[in-house]
Amino acid sequence: MPTRPTLNPVLSLAVAVASGLLIGAGQAPMGLWPLTILGVAGLTWLLIDRSPGRAFGLGYLTGAAMNTLTVSWISVLGAAVGVALIAFLALWWGLLGLFISQLLRLRWWPLLVPPAFVAMEYASGKVPFGGFSWSRLGYTAVDTPLSGWYAWIGLAGVSLLVAVLGTTLLYVALDRARWRRGAAVVLTLFVVGGLLNLVPGATPQESVTVAMVQPNVNRNEHGTSSYARSVTNNALSETIFAVATARTQATDIDFVLWPENATDVDPINDAETRSLVETAASLAQVPILVGAVTDGEQEDTRQTTSIWWDPVDGPGSTYHKRDLVPFGEWIPFRDFLLPRLPILKQIGRQSIPGDAPGVVTAPLPGHPNLQIGTIICFELAYDDTSYETVLAGAQLIVSQSNTNTYGGTFQVSQQLTINRVRAMELGREVLASTLNSVSSPIDTHGRVLDPTTEFTSATRFAEVPLRYNVNLSVHVGPAISVGAGLLTLIAFACAVVMGRRRAK
C-alpha cells in the first residue's frame, strides 16, 4: 500500500476541495484538462490509509467542490434545486472515496483505481430516476490527443484513460525511480490517440443539405401566455429568411431543422400552431424536422417530440424523448410530492417518455428511406440512448435542444462539448440545433464548424454526408462501463477480506 505524510484535518479538507476544483477545471468552458489529471492524483493520494468513514467524507467534499464548479448552473431553477442536486451528486463521490481507500490497499492499485471512477460515472448516470452524470472525466479529453480514442473505446473508455493518467502521475510522484514506466504509459496513450485521430474515415457518396434554424426567443416572456406562440412565430420568420437566403445563393435545401420546443403547443392538435408549421413547410417546399411539445395519451401529460413534417402529407414519423429530466420535465412520486411542494407546479404537465430508439424515417426525393438519428437535449448525457441511434440505422444525427433556461451559463459550452464527443464517438456529423443558444454543424473530428451566437436569430446551412458505419465504441463503451463496475466490486471485496485477515 502506498504511504503519505500525516495531514491535520484542516489540511485534509483543503486538499479535498482543491482536488474537486482541479478535477472540474477540465470541463467546459474552462477546458484545463491537465488540472483534471492532477486532481485525480490529488484525491487518490489524499485517500491513502483512510478509514472508510473519513474516506467517504473526503470524497463527498471533493464531489461537492467539483459539482459546485461545473453544474451550479442548475440553480437558475432555484437556489434550493442547485443545493439539493449538488449535495446528492456528491454522495456518489463519497462512495468513490470509500472504494478508492480500500483499493489502495491492493498491490495493483494504479490499475484498479481508474475503473472505480468509471463505475461511479456509470452508476450515477443510472440511479436514481435515470441518473445525472454530466461532468464525466471523458469530456475533458475533447481537445487532447486522447480524443482519437473516442471512436474506438467510447466515452467510458476515455474516462478510464484520464483516470489512468491521474493514477500514473501519483504512482511516479510516490517514487521518482518509476518515471520511465510512467512516461511510457503517458506517451503510449497520447501517441496512439493521436495516430487514431489520423485514421481516415470512409468517403460518403451521398449527402443532404439542411437549413438549421435558430428561432431565438424573448426570454422575458417565458412563463407568460404569449411565450408559446412567439416561439413558433419566430421559427416561421427565421424559416422564411432561411429559404430566401438559400434561393438567393442557389442552395438546394433538402429539409429544415427546428430545435427542441420550437412549438411549445402541440402542432398536431392545436389549429393555430399547426397552421404556422404548415405555412413554414409550404413556403420552404421541403419537409421540416420539428422539435415540438405534444400532448400525451393520458390527461394532463405531455411529450417532447421530433416530428417529420412534409409540406404535402403533413406530420409523419415521430420520436418521443426517452431520457427525461427528473424534477425538470417530470416529478417522481408526483401524487405525493406535488401537494406538499407547491414549487413543483412550475414544472407543468407530467412528461411521458417514449419507448423507441431515436430514429425518424424522413423520406426525401432520392433518399426514400432516409433515417435521421435524433438526440433531444439532456439525452446527450446517456451513452445507450446515443449509441442506439446508429444501431437503429441513423445515417446522420441531429441534436435538438432548448437551452433557453440555461443561456449564458456553463451549461451551454458543456452541452456543445458533449455534442462534439458524440460526433467523434458515433462517426457521424452532428447538427447541434438550439432555440437561442449555440447552434452549429459538428464534423466527425469534433470540430465546431460555424457556431451561432447566443440570443440571436440565425440560420446555418450544412451539407451532411450520409454514413452507415457503426464505430467500435458503440459496442466497447458499454462493455467498459459494466466491466469497470464488476471489477471494482470484486477488487473492493478482495480488499475488505484481506484487510480483515490482516487485522486478525
Side-chain angles (χ1 to χ4, degrees):
M1 183 175 69
T3 60
R4 58 162 177 78
T6 301
L7 303 177
N8 66 53
V10 174
L11 187 55
S12 293
L13 296 178
V15 173
V17 171
S19 296
L21 295 176
L22 290 171
I23 292 171
Q27 302 291 340
M30 292 79 69
L32 303 174
W33 59 268
L35 297 187
T36 295
I37 297 169
L38 182 60
V40 169
L43 173 61
T44 306
W45 176 80
L46 180 64
L47 295 171
I48 294 172
D49 198 24
R50 296 287 185 179
S51 67
R54 289 183 178 178
F56 180 91
L58 293 171
Y60 185 92
L61 192 57
T62 298
M66 192 281 292
N67 284 292
T68 298
L69 176 62
T70 58
V71 300
S72 56
W73 42 261
I74 199 72
S75 295
V76 301
L77 300 177
V81 175
V83 171
L85 179 64
I86 290 169
F88 176 78
L89 293 177
L91 290 172
W92 289 110
W93 286 80
L95 289 174
L96 176 65
L98 188 157
F99 270 67
I100 290 177
S101 68
Q102 299 303 305
L103 297 176
L104 285 166
R105 302 176 186 277
L106 300 176
R107 179 180 179 182
W108 296 99
W109 66 265
L111 298 178
L112 295 174
V113 169
F117 280 90
V118 177
M120 182 271 290
E121 292 182 349
Y122 179 72
S124 65
K126 297 288 185 182
V127 180
F129 313 126
F132 188 93
S133 183
W134 191 261
S135 303
R136 297 166 67 178
L137 295 181
Y139 295 141
T140 67
V142 69
D143 289 313
T144 76
L146 292 181
S147 63
W149 290 96
Y150 286 122
W152 301 87
I153 59 176
L155 174 58
V158 176
S159 284
L160 180 68
L161 297 186
V162 173
V164 165
L165 290 175
T167 57
T168 299
L169 175 62
L170 177 59
Y171 178 75
V172 173
L174 292 173
D175 187 347
R176 295 179 184 178
R178 302 166 175 163
W179 72 267
R180 289 186 177 86
R181 298 178 191 174
V185 171
V186 174
L187 286 174
T188 299
L189 295 183
F190 278 103
V191 170
V192 173
L195 292 174
L196 291 175
N197 262 324
L198 299 177
V199 175
T203 302
Q205 302 301 311
E206 301 174 294
S207 66
V208 294
T209 300
V210 184
M212 302 172 58
V213 166
Q214 179 172 297
N216 196 27
V217 293
N218 184 346
R219 302 178 77 213
N220 295 325
E221 290 184 359
H222 193 267
T224 67
S225 59
S226 63
Y227 179 83
R229 302 297 183 194
S230 66
V231 169
T232 312
N233 283 328
N234 288 357
L236 169 60
S237 298
E238 188 60 29
T239 299
I240 293 171
F241 176 80
V243 171
T245 302
R247 291 174 183 170
T248 300
Q249 298 176 350
T251 300
D252 293 326
I253 302 172
D254 289 297
F255 72 90
V256 177
L257 174 61
W258 284 8
E260 179 190 23
N261 293 129
T263 73
D264 221 28
V265 180
D266 192 323
I268 296 176
N269 296 332
D270 181 76
E272 183 177 346
T273 305
R274 185 181 186 115
S275 176
L276 292 173
V277 178
E278 288 178 338
T279 299
S282 178
L283 290 170
Q285 298 179 16
V286 296
I288 300 176
L289 184 59
V290 180
V293 174
T294 57
D295 299 328
E297 294 182 359
Q298 295 82 32
E299 184 180 356
D300 198 32
T301 62
R302 66 186 178 189
Q303 291 185 293
T304 301
T305 308
S306 296
I307 308 173
W308 184 252
W309 201 291
D310 187 87
V312 176
D313 299 327
S317 178
T318 62
Y319 165 68
H320 300 296
K321 183 178 182 180
R322 290 186 293 168
D323 299 305
L324 304 175
V325 183
F327 301 104
E329 293 175 299
W330 69 289
I331 305 172
F333 313 113
R334 183 184 180 91
D335 293 340
F336 175 80
L337 292 176
L338 197 57
R340 293 166 174 79
L341 297 172
I343 192 174
L344 295 178
K345 292 180 180 179
Q346 297 179 17
I347 296 172
R349 292 181 293 168
Q350 187 85 326
S351 288
I352 305 299
D355 56 9
V359 175
V360 171
T361 299
L364 290 173
H367 306 288
N369 195 38
L370 177 66
Q371 302 294 300
I372 299 177
T374 305
I375 304 172
I376 302 179
C377 201
F378 185 61
E379 293 185 316
L380 278 169
Y382 294 91
D383 293 349
D384 292 344
T385 300
S386 299
Y387 297 163
E388 284 176 6
T389 59
V390 295
L391 290 173
Q395 297 154 271
L396 64 94
I397 302 293
V398 301
S399 173
Q400 295 169 291
S401 180
N402 183 325
T403 319
N404 180 39
T405 304
Y406 305 111
T409 71
F410 282 6
Q411 193 272 354
V412 173
S413 55
Q414 289 170 1
Q415 184 162 315
L416 188 63
T417 294
I418 301 175
N419 273 310
R420 296 175 61 196
V421 169
R422 296 307 182 195
M424 288 185 276
E425 273 190 302
L426 302 178
R428 297 285 191 282
E429 282 73 11
V430 170
L431 300 182
S433 172
T434 70
L435 200 64
N436 65 346
S437 187
V438 178
S439 304
S440 180
I442 300 171
D443 70 11
T444 55
H445 292 286
R447 292 176 295 205
V448 180
L449 301 179
D450 190 13
T452 63
T453 303
E454 278 195 274
F455 313 126
T456 60
S457 299
T459 296
R460 293 292 184 267
F461 299 104
E463 184 176 358
V464 188
L466 303 184
R467 300 184 185 275
Y468 301 86
N469 58 293
V470 177
N471 282 352
L472 193 61
S473 60
V474 171
H475 302 290
V476 173
I480 289 176
S481 291
V482 174
L486 292 175
L487 177 61
T488 299
L489 290 174
I490 293 170
F492 177 77
C494 291
V496 171
V497 170
M498 291 175 62
R500 288 177 178 176
R501 287 179 178 175
R502 289 169 183 164
K504 292 179 181 180

